[in-house]
Amino acid sequence: MSKKIMCLICVLVSGCAVSPVMMFPIEPTKEEISKADYGEKPTLYKKVIEDFVKSGLIDPESAQFTNYSAPKKDWLGDNEIGGKTYIGWLACVDVNAKNKFGGYVGRKMYSFIFKGNEIIYAQNDVKTKMVANGWKPPINYPIECN
C-alpha cells in the first residue's frame, strides 16, 4: 500500500476516536460557579420528586422513598456533544418500587437539580437514566448527595 493511502486511512480512523475528556462530566469553571444562578432553594422538593418519579413507574402506589438528602447548591453535567452543565439545588432520594411482575426491584438513587420547586434535570441510578424537561441524559458518573 502506498504511503498516501496509509496516511488517508490513519486520518479517517483517528477521526472516529472519542476523546477521553468526553467521558466525564463537564465540570463548571470557577467563573461559572461564581456567576451561577442557583435559583430559589426548593421547599416542596419531596412532593415534586415523588410526583415526578411516580409518573414513570408501572406501579406508582408501591413506591417507597427513603434517604432524602437536603437540597444543596451543586451541579450535574451532560457530557454528550453539545451537552450542558446544570447548576442549581441538588437533591437525591433512594426509591424502591414494584415491577410489572409485582416484585420490588431494589433501591435506586435518583438525583435532581432544582431551581425553585421545578426540576430542571434528573437522573436515576447509574445504569438507567431519565431526564426532566427534555434534556439529554448525562454520562455515567458518581453523584455525591451527602
Side-chain angles (χ1 to χ4, degrees), residues 83-111:
K84 185 173 176 175
T85 299
Y86 303 92
I87 298 176
W89 292 86
L90 174 69
C92 301
V93 65
D94 287 331
V95 180
N96 193 4
K98 290 182 179 180
N99 60 21
K100 63 184 175 184
F101 302 109
Y104 279 93
V105 297
R107 293 186 325 183
K108 292 184 181 183
M109 184 181 79
Y110 285 67
S111 307

Side-chain angles (χ1 to χ4, degrees), residues 17-24 79:
V18 176
S19 165
V21 173
M22 296 169 73
M23 300 306 289
F24 298 98
N79 220 21

Side-chain angles (χ1 to χ4, degrees), residues 37-38 85-89 112-116 118-122 131-135:
D37 172 17
Y38 290 89
T85 299
Y86 303 92
I87 298 176
W89 292 86
F112 302 88
I113 292 287
F114 281 86
K115 286 217 175 162
E118 181 182 352
I119 295 169
I120 62 166
Y121 196 63
V131 191
N133 298 333
W135 299 118

Side-chain angles (χ1 to χ4, degrees), residues 1-130:
M1 230 184 286
S2 75
K3 289 183 181 181
K4 288 180 183 180
I5 293 174
M6 286 300 289
C7 287
L8 179 61
I9 291 172
C10 288
V11 168
L12 292 174
V13 171
S14 68
C16 298
V18 176
S19 165
V21 173
M22 296 169 73
M23 300 306 289
F24 298 98
I26 304 166
E27 187 168 350
T29 65
K30 289 179 182 178
E31 183 179 345
E32 288 173 320
I33 294 283
S34 69
K35 293 180 179 180
D37 172 17
Y38 290 89
E40 294 285 321
K41 185 175 183 177
T43 55
L44 303 173
Y45 70 99
K46 288 183 180 182
K47 180 181 180 349
V48 173
I49 286 172
E50 289 179 13
D51 290 346
F52 182 84
V53 172
K54 284 181 178 182
S55 72
L57 295 176
I58 292 169
D59 184 355
E61 297 309 310
S62 71
Q64 299 171 343
F65 297 87
T66 56
N67 301 325
Y68 275 99
S69 69
K72 66 176 184 172
K73 291 181 178 180
D74 212 334
W75 63 275
L76 290 175
D78 173 355
N79 220 21
E80 302 242 341
I81 294 174
K84 185 173 176 175
T85 299
Y86 303 92
I87 298 176
W89 292 86
L90 174 69
C92 301
V93 65
D94 287 331
V95 180
N96 193 4
K98 290 182 179 180
N99 60 21
K100 63 184 175 184
F101 302 109
Y104 279 93
V105 297
R107 293 186 325 183
K108 292 184 181 183
M109 184 181 79
Y110 285 67
S111 307
F112 302 88
I113 292 287
F114 281 86
K115 286 217 175 162
N117 287 311
E118 181 182 352
I119 295 169
I120 62 166
Y121 196 63
Q123 175 182 349
N124 73 328
D125 206 34
V126 265
K127 296 182 183 113
T128 58
K129 297 153 204 89
M130 75 181 178

